[in-house]
Amino acid sequence: MAEKLAPEKRHSFLHNGQEVFEWDQTLEEVNIYINLPPNVHSKQFYCKIQSRHVELGIKGNPPYLDHELTCPVKTDSSFWTLEDGIMHITLQKRDKGQTWASPIQGQGQLDPYSTDLEQKRLMLQRFQEEFLCRTLDLTSHKLSFRATVPIQGPSWVEFTQINNYSLWHL
């Protein structure tokens, strides 16, 4: 299977100049990373993930985050872990491929340019996944058409038609 197009860097959500969390996304999930305060035992932290809401903090204190999510998630596939002083929350998108401008509704939205870049990266990832899935299933089909055609500039692309599927090779 193709390498997933991981984000080049995480997005930061800042409030009053302080980093609240970092986040990134793939076609299927949104990941939130929160630096934990030192000298607090891991058993004191909690995280509740609901379809459209996330709450987390230290037991016995007001929640650190208590917000609506931008889009719904699959609660049975979403989870959180603690490792090396970081809480990592994995939210499984209910709608695969949907681009989130922020994990938290109305907070830390990406600017339009960054949102566009995220959407293009996810579209390319989806194309790669679907294209590879189709080509892997073609091993038993007969070749019915093959041609080499010029594309923009001096490059050429080889086009192969196998039954109802098309393959391009640079």
Side-chain angles (χ1 to χ4, degrees):
M1 182 167 238
E3 265 309 299
K4 287 190 177 183
L5 290 176
E8 292 179 13
K9 65 178 184 132
R10 295 177 183 167
H11 306 289
S12 292
F13 171 51
L14 304 173
H15 180 71
N16 293 334
Q18 296 280 33
E19 183 179 87
V20 178
F21 61 81
E22 291 183 313
W23 70 282
D24 61 28
Q25 66 184 310
T26 65
L27 278 175
E28 298 175 352
E29 61 193 30
V30 172
N31 297 288
I32 300 174
Y33 308 90
I34 300 169
N35 290 321
L36 301 174
N39 304 321
V40 179
H41 195 275
S42 62
K43 290 185 180 183
Q44 293 180 279
F45 294 102
Y46 73 94
C47 182
K48 296 178 187 174
I49 302 169
Q50 298 172 326
S51 175
R52 289 190 155 274
H53 191 89
V54 66
E55 179 184 333
L56 62 101
I58 300 172
K59 295 174 186 173
N61 293 291
Y64 179 72
L65 286 179
D66 187 9
H67 294 284
E68 295 297 311
L69 297 170
T70 300
C71 300
V73 299
K74 297 177 184 177
T75 55
D76 59 339
S77 303
S78 298
F79 59 93
W80 60 281
T81 59
L82 301 176
E83 187 175 343
D84 297 330
I86 297 174
M87 179 181 280
H88 176 191
I89 304 168
T90 301
L91 302 170
Q92 190 75 31
K93 293 178 179 179
R94 189 176 73 189
D95 301 316
K96 179 181 176 180
Q98 186 173 35
T99 304
W100 290 25
S102 171
I104 305 299
Q105 188 174 5
Q107 302 290 322
Q109 304 290 84
L110 294 176
D111 60 77
Y113 178 74
S114 297
T115 300
D116 187 52
L117 289 177
E118 279 291 290
Q119 188 169 20
K120 287 177 181 177
R121 184 182 58 79
L122 294 177
M123 286 173 53
L124 182 57
Q125 182 182 340
R126 184 174 209 150
F127 173 79
Q128 286 179 335
E129 282 186 10
E130 290 178 7
F131 179 75
L132 274 181
C133 287
R134 287 185 182 167
T135 58
L136 292 175
D137 293 336
L138 299 177
T139 55
S140 64
H141 297 285
K142 294 181 180 178
L143 178 66
S144 60
F145 175 82
R146 186 179 191 138
T148 303
V149 294
I151 59 173
Q152 188 176 26
S155 300
W156 289 77
V157 65
E158 183 176 293
F159 174 74
T160 306
Q161 178 74 36
I162 301 175
N163 289 350
N164 293 329
Y165 299 101
S166 299
L167 308 173
W168 294 272
H169 308 282
L170 292 175

